[in-house]
Amino acid sequence: MTDATGTTGTTGTTGTTGTTGTTGTTGTTDTAVKPALRPGLALGVLAGALALDVSGLGVLNAALPSVGARFDLDETTLQWVMTAYAVTFAGFLLVGGRLADVLGRRRVFEVGVALFTVSALVGALAPDTAVLLGARAVQGIGAALSGPAALALLTETFPAGPARNRAFSVYAAVGAASFSGGVMLGGVLTQFLGWRSVLWFSVLLGLAVLAATRAGLPGGAGHSGRLDLPGAITGTLGLTLLIVGVSSDGATAWIVLGAAVASLVLFVVREHRTADPVLPLGLFRIRSVRAASLAAFLQYMGSVGLLFFAPLYLQGMLDYSPFESGLALVPMSLAVFLTANFATGRLLARFTPRTLMAVGLVLIGGGAALWLGTPHDGGYVQYVLPGLVLSGIGQGLNFPSMTSAGLTGVPARQHAVAGAVNVVAQQIGASAGVAVMVLVAATSTDQLTGYHLAYLTAAGACVLGAAVIAVRRQA
């Protein structure tokens, strides 16, 4: 993506912009944009796939008690209904990005959406826990294939300038709103139609995306190269173990994290030596990529952490039902969607992504900080709503900006894997952030005080990250 392109695609802070046919910071020329014959349909297909991927993590959140009751699961086992998806999603992202760059974006996109849809169907019909957990894990692999390919297809389909700015704003708005929206939708569907309806909804949306893919998206062959199998194995294993480790506790967590570090060290050594790396390590020499990864990590740490504690507070202390706690999160989703869709695209024409990322993270941190005043029996409008809205505005500013920055200066042939790097940072931020905030909350014997310490941790991390991004000039 471009850095600070306006409606005329002008030069931003990193040099000449435009990743699809113009010269980037590398000084090389890549493949040309293939404009969509039906741009509205193309954008709908890509945004729909993104909604599938992102909401897949949160849509079953409100349904967990019903799933636990159906299969008689304790809390330790029940969490894997969520974690199984997150683990494979994060673990296979780099492989998905590399496959999309090598084999062709639309081809890998279709395979990913199809795999997600079929596994959702299996989960909806699951007769026991093993089948449900297996289906959720395969859903994560499908999302890891389609997600990076979708982001690369967006830059292939829409030329730099007003068309891409608008498309990117809509795409990012859907992505940024999909997690909290998925939590809300899951609560509504579970309350009225049962927990299996949540997965049936994913099946229907997946089928709709697949039906429109060929008509909406351009085809095209992949770039020259091959998939480095040793690198794919060590990288996928390392990322998978990393997510499992931060989602575990006790001695098991340290053992798994140690294995993750060992696998990732082997992965880095391999990537240095191979001519066709799964992850070109040179990406991290681009400051905008590093800043975008930090922003992605912190946004998901702050926002997912807040959403993790939201139902605990709303249901446990304010006596909300699951349906009511789901509806209570709607203002955050609306704030994200409206900000990303109607404001951030215009602001990116005037300011660099670095500026908007810093501002967005401050607002996300501010939203968490506002929850420091939540009492045991406080009113929703006075104590809960302001933090949700402020955090939502911050997410709406940060999500498009960090995704744009994550592709700035990256050759077009590496857009899918660069997009995968950003999503990996998001998933690690979500998993590690929740784990850290839960650990911090547990240091207090008073439950509400523990929640407040968790909010303070998220706020401090976001503000500190914003300061780091603000003072470092992107390259």
Side-chain angles (χ1 to χ4, degrees):
M1 284 297 292
T2 58
D3 187 355
T5 51
T7 57
T8 59
T10 58
T11 301
T13 60
T14 65
T16 306
T17 57
T19 55
T20 53
T22 58
T23 302
T25 59
T26 60
T28 60
T29 301
D30 287 303
T31 55
V33 173
K34 305 165 188 174
L37 296 177
R38 301 176 180 177
L41 180 60
L43 184 56
V45 169
L46 296 173
L50 181 64
L52 269 179
D53 296 348
V54 178
S55 66
L57 185 61
V59 73
L60 272 174
N61 186 60
L64 289 180
S66 298
V67 175
R70 168 62 179 83
F71 295 119
D72 192 25
L73 304 178
D74 59 28
E75 291 186 2
T76 302
T77 305
L78 188 60
Q79 72 162 332
W80 283 98
V81 176
M82 299 284 290
T83 305
Y85 179 88
V87 164
T88 54
F89 186 14
F92 283 82
L93 273 166
L94 293 181
V95 173
R98 179 60 179 163
L99 285 174
D101 285 336
V102 172
L103 300 179
R105 279 76 182 266
R106 191 180 73 180
R107 181 180 304 153
V108 174
F109 175 84
E110 288 180 301
V111 171
V113 175
L115 193 60
F116 185 102
T117 304
V118 170
S119 55
L121 175 62
V122 172
L125 300 173
D128 54 43
T129 306
V131 173
L132 177 61
L133 294 181
R136 290 288 288 166
V138 177
Q139 270 190 288
I141 297 174
L145 293 175
S146 64
L151 183 57
L153 282 165
L154 191 72
T155 63
E156 277 190 10
T157 304
F158 293 92
R164 183 180 294 178
N165 290 342
R166 175 62 180 164
F168 202 73
S169 295
V170 173
Y171 179 83
V174 171
S178 291
F179 183 85
S180 53
V183 174
M184 181 272 294
L185 178 64
V188 173
L189 290 175
T190 301
Q191 179 108 1
F192 294 106
L193 298 175
W195 68 268
R196 294 184 188 271
S197 66
V198 173
L199 291 167
W200 279 111
F201 176 82
S202 294
V203 171
L204 295 176
L205 181 56
L207 289 174
V209 170
L210 281 174
T213 294
R214 290 287 170 129
L217 299 179
H223 300 281
S224 61
R226 62 182 179 85
L227 177 65
D228 171 37
L229 189 58
I233 292 173
T234 54
T236 299
L237 181 62
L239 287 173
T240 300
L241 291 174
L242 181 62
I243 300 299
V244 172
V246 298
S247 302
S248 305
D249 54 22
T252 301
W254 291 109
I255 293 172
V256 174
L257 287 174
V261 170
S263 296
L264 291 173
V265 169
L266 291 175
F267 172 68
V268 171
V269 171
R270 172 67 187 182
E271 298 307 275
H272 271 297
R273 295 177 176 176
T274 183
D276 292 297
V278 173
L279 173 61
L281 298 177
L283 288 175
F284 294 105
R285 289 196 290 269
I286 304 173
R287 289 184 181 177
S288 59
V289 173
R290 297 201 302 268
S293 299
L294 176 60
F297 177 91
L298 290 173
Q299 170 170 331
Y300 274 71
M301 175 187 176
S303 60
V304 175
L306 199 65
L307 289 172
F308 176 85
F309 284 98
L312 299 179
Y313 175 71
L314 294 171
Q315 296 180 37
M317 296 188 179
L318 301 188
D319 295 325
Y320 281 34
S321 68
F323 174 65
E324 290 171 331
S325 66
L327 289 181
L329 300 178
V330 170
M332 176 184 278
S333 299
L334 287 176
V336 173
F337 185 84
L338 293 175
T339 302
N341 198 29
F342 295 107
T344 307
R346 294 181 176 89
L347 290 172
L348 280 171
R350 300 181 58 190
F351 303 100
T352 65
R354 172 174 58 90
T355 300
L356 297 186
M357 285 189 291
V359 173
L361 287 175
V362 168
L363 294 178
I364 293 171
L370 286 178
W371 275 34
L372 291 172
T374 50
H376 282 281
D377 56 355
Y380 172 80
V381 173
Q382 181 179 358
Y383 293 104
V384 177
L385 182 61
L388 289 176
V389 172
L390 190 62
S391 178
I393 294 172
Q395 293 172 55
L397 286 174
N398 187 65
F399 192 95
S401 306
M402 75 187 187
T403 314
S404 174
L407 298 181
T408 298
V410 178
R413 66 181 180 275
Q414 295 177 349
H415 276 187
V417 73
V421 168
N422 194 267
V423 183
V424 167
Q426 296 171 25
Q427 295 305 306
I428 295 175
S431 300
V434 170
V436 168
M437 291 173 70
V438 169
L439 184 63
V440 169
T443 62
S444 174
T445 56
D446 178 72
Q447 189 176 44
L448 184 59
T449 301
Y451 291 174
H452 289 169
L453 290 173
Y455 306 149
L456 183 61
T457 300
C462 287
V463 172
L464 180 60
V468 170
I469 291 171
V471 300
R472 293 185 64 89
R473 184 179 63 84
Q474 292 186 29

